Amino acid sequence: MNKLILLSVVVAVATGINVPPSTSVEQQPPCQTAAQWEGRASEWDHVQGRNNRFLISFDGVGLRKRVIEEKKSFMPGRRFYEYLMEYKTNTMYTINMNLQTCTVSQLKQPWQNHTIPSDATLEDEYEMGDPGSGLHVQEWSDRLPARRSESWIGIYTPKTENGGCWPVVEVFTDDTTDPPVSLTTRFFDITPGIKNMSVFVPPSFCPPSDDFEPPITNQYVEIHVENAENYGPIYTFYNYIKSWF
Amino acid sequence: MNKLILLSVVVAVATGINVPPSTSVEQQPPCQTAAQWEGRASEWDHVQGRNNRFLISFDGVGLRKRVIEEKKSFMPGRRFYEYLMEYKTNTMYTINMNLQTCTVSQLKQPWQNHTIPSDATLEDEYEMGDPGSGLHVQEWSDRLPARRSESWIGIYTPKTENGGCWPVVEVFTDDTTDPPVSLTTRFFDITPGIKNMSVFVPPSFCPPSDDFEPPITNQYVEIHVENAENYGPIYTFYNYIKSWF
């Protein structure tokens, strides 16, 4: 699968197919979220009709993510998991927190920074919450005017002195996968940086990583898809894939 | 249909079926959003995979709503509509803003205040946006601990001097309807009160309202459904239905 995508890229570059410019002329390029941060998220899965709560440590320097399911909603028999994702070795550790067991698998997606993609469209700026004293945010999407409708919307704070560009809400849909993906994620209690780097170390009961295929770390891999509006084939970018696993 | 629901309520009350208490003992009842407000909303339809943008005037005193589609995302041939909903006469006016035409139909849902239902569960309190200076919010759901999983999540500001309890984000799923409903709505640029009451008057080219069946305005109509976790039949409330039309 990875090889197939790489091949498509080589073909696209070699044949000089016209790729849309990465930023629109009407707008400033979006600012970038800090490389390292921690926070919490509440994610509604619209396919399963369920809400999941996570603690997230995001290391854009070491290309690692750690996601822990929060034991908020009590359901008898429910298992809780911790996920460690190492993109340099293409490895995912899935840790059953109840049974203290651990399985190793290959990551299915390339690394992506958690930020506003550089070719995103600025849809709107507005105030969320209390009139006059709410949260000022920008709404971005992967829409390309008259060419591609949205499959991702990202609401981020604007750039501020403390770095800014923090994720607030993201909506993401991909109905080309099986099962389809349709998520609404709210981010909160964010802190810049990583408090303790040891959170990324797999526990001792995890087996060693297998010898997986080399990872894809290029976020600008192109995929050939048909436009929903029948404007013919267009390009979409892997860096819009915003599901966590 | 309306008569059928009313009948179920009568049966439920007459036979003394055990209805869960309207508030949990562990928490304060949620505060109420102001009866009249205006604002904007951006709504992702996860079934259609499309985002719609609205201007909303909400009149909880006169039991009226006005929703205008914002002409933000240009798509050739796209029609834009204004919706006027009068719950006292059970009438919806659907106004084609391009062609200046108007159709009249019967409302399909009972009136509901746009607020946190009184039996909602407080899931969490957190800060959205910039670390240390973000938006303080509460997350509510229609989950009943160990009895019913979520089909609605509402993120609201807490009560403040200016009234507070403003909607920020809502997620709502109902897969019992055909087609199913799955929405993520972000609310913003909210102002308390209604600037100009004439926004609720249908334009002159609208036909007069038909003689519709009397509306249901009781928000606490109960419906008998099966719990997803097989804990047996439970009750859900109409006032959790958060779709706009």
Side-chain angles (χ1 to χ4, degrees):
Chain A
M1 180 58 182
N2 289 353
K3 278 173 190 163
L4 194 68
I5 292 167
L6 280 171
L7 185 65
S8 317
V9 176
V10 172
V11 170
V13 172
T15 56
I17 291 170
N18 191 27
V19 171
S22 64
T23 55
S24 156
V25 287
E26 297 95 348
Q27 70 184 35
Q28 296 283 315
C31 74
Q32 299 295 298
T33 297
Q36 295 181 320
W37 55 272
E38 292 180 305
R40 296 168 62 211
S42 189
E43 183 175 86
W44 184 281
D45 183 326
H46 292 260
V47 175
Q48 300 210 338
R50 283 205 167 269
N51 197 70
N52 294 302
R53 293 160 199 284
F54 300 122
L55 296 169
I56 296 167
S57 296
F58 190 90
D59 178 11
V61 177
L63 308 191
R64 295 177 294 187
K65 291 189 278 191
R66 182 226 207 179
V67 178
I68 300 185
E69 289 184 298
E70 268 197 291
K71 295 188 189 182
K72 273 266 174 192
S73 55
F74 175 74
M75 282 288 166
R78 171 105 159 73
R79 298 269 164 83
F80 289 91
Y81 290 91
E82 174 180 348
Y83 303 90
L84 286 175
M85 288 160 268
E86 289 179 0
Y87 286 81
K88 284 184 180 169
T89 60
N90 219 12
T91 306
M92 173 146 109
Y93 298 92
T94 304
I95 299 151
N96 182 320
M97 292 162 71
N98 307 63
L99 303 177
Q100 298 276 295
T101 56
C102 177
T103 57
V104 173
S105 59
Q106 181 172 351
L107 286 168
K108 288 174 192 154
Q109 293 179 16
W111 169 258
Q112 12 167 210
N113 289 324
H114 197 86
T115 192
I116 310 162
S118 57
D119 66 341
T121 299
L122 179 61
E123 295 284 354
D124 220 332
E125 291 199 45
Y126 48 72
E127 178 190 48
M128 302 181 87
D130 296 294
S133 60
L135 181 69
H136 183 71
V137 294
Q138 294 180 331
E139 183 167 307
W140 298 82
S141 82
D142 63 344
R143 184 173 67 90
L144 292 178
R147 294 201 62 195
R148 179 176 71 193
S149 56
E150 311 92 330
S151 71
W152 169 81
I153 283 180
I155 298 170
Y156 280 73
T157 62
K159 197 178 180 86
T160 53
E161 281 171 23
N162 72 359
C165 318
W166 301 108
V168 178
V169 179
E170 285 191 323
V171 184
F172 174 69
T173 295
D174 184 357
D175 55 11
T176 65
T177 59
D178 182 27
V181 178
S182 196
L183 299 169
T184 300
T185 314
R186 290 87 70 205
F187 295 90
F188 43 86
D189 294 349
I190 288 179
T191 52
I194 309 278
K195 234 175 264 164
N196 186 346
M197 279 294 173
S198 69
V199 296
F200 296 109
V201 179
S204 57
F205 55 83
C206 279
S209 166
D210 282 334
D211 192 15
F212 293 125
E213 276 186 55
I216 298 179
T217 54
N218 180 356
Q219 292 188 66
Y220 296 96
V221 174
E222 286 122 34
I223 308 168
H224 206 232
V225 295
E226 288 296 316
N227 186 335
E229 275 71 39
N230 293 320
Y231 281 83
I234 54 153
Y235 292 93
T236 190
F237 299 103
Y238 240 13
N239 62 345
Y240 280 104
I241 295 176
K242 292 293 185 185
S243 55
W244 278 95
F245 308 111
Chain B
M1 177 62 184
N2 290 352
K3 278 172 190 165
L4 193 67
I5 292 167
L6 280 170
L7 186 65
S8 316
V9 177
V10 172
V11 169
V13 171
T15 56
I17 290 171
N18 191 26
V19 172
S22 64
T23 52
S24 155
V25 287
E26 296 97 348
Q27 71 184 34
Q28 295 284 313
C31 73
Q32 298 296 297
T33 296
Q36 295 181 319
W37 55 272
E38 292 179 306
R40 296 168 62 210
S42 189
E43 183 175 85
W44 185 281
D45 183 326
H46 291 262
V47 175
Q48 300 210 339
R50 280 204 171 269
N51 197 71
N52 294 302
R53 293 160 198 284
F54 300 122
L55 295 169
I56 296 167
S57 295
F58 190 90
D59 178 12
V61 177
L63 308 190
R64 294 177 295 188
K65 291 189 280 190
R66 182 226 208 180
V67 179
I68 300 186
E69 289 185 296
E70 267 196 291
K71 296 189 188 181
K72 272 267 175 192
S73 55
F74 175 73
M75 283 287 168
R78 172 106 161 71
R79 298 269 164 83
F80 289 91
Y81 291 91
E82 175 180 346
Y83 304 90
L84 286 175
M85 289 159 270
E86 287 179 2
Y87 286 80
K88 283 183 180 169
T89 60
N90 219 14
T91 306
M92 173 146 108
Y93 298 92
T94 304
I95 299 151
N96 182 320
M97 292 163 71
N98 307 64
L99 302 176
Q100 298 275 297
T101 57
C102 177
T103 57
V104 172
S105 58
Q106 181 172 352
L107 286 167
K108 289 174 190 152
Q109 295 179 16
W111 170 257
Q112 13 167 207
N113 290 325
H114 198 88
T115 192
I116 310 162
S118 57
D119 66 342
T121 298
L122 179 61
E123 295 284 354
D124 219 332
E125 291 199 45
Y126 47 73
E127 178 190 49
M128 302 180 89
D130 297 292
S133 60
L135 181 70
H136 183 72
V137 294
Q138 295 181 331
E139 182 167 306
W140 298 83
S141 82
D142 64 344
R143 185 172 66 89
L144 293 178
R147 292 200 63 196
R148 179 175 70 192
S149 56
E150 311 93 330
S151 71
W152 170 81
I153 283 181
I155 298 170
Y156 280 71
T157 63
K159 198 178 179 86
T160 53
E161 281 171 22
N162 73 358
C165 317
W166 301 108
V168 179
V169 178
E170 285 191 323
V171 184
F172 174 69
T173 295
D174 185 357
D175 56 10
T176 65
T177 59
D178 182 25
V181 178
S182 196
L183 299 169
T184 300
T185 314
R186 290 86 71 204
F187 295 91
F188 42 88
D189 293 349
I190 287 179
T191 52
I194 309 276
K195 233 174 265 165
N196 187 347
M197 280 295 176
S198 69
V199 296
F200 296 109
V201 179
S204 57
F205 55 82
C206 279
S209 168
D210 282 335
D211 192 16
F212 294 127
E213 278 185 52
I216 297 179
T217 54
N218 181 354
Q219 293 188 66
Y220 296 95
V221 174
E222 286 122 33
I223 307 168
H224 206 232
V225 294
E226 289 295 318
N227 187 335
E229 274 71 39
N230 293 319
Y231 280 83
I234 54 152
Y235 291 92
T236 188
F237 299 103
Y238 241 13
N239 62 347
Y240 280 106
I241 295 176
K242 292 292 186 186
S243 54
W244 279 95
F245 307 111

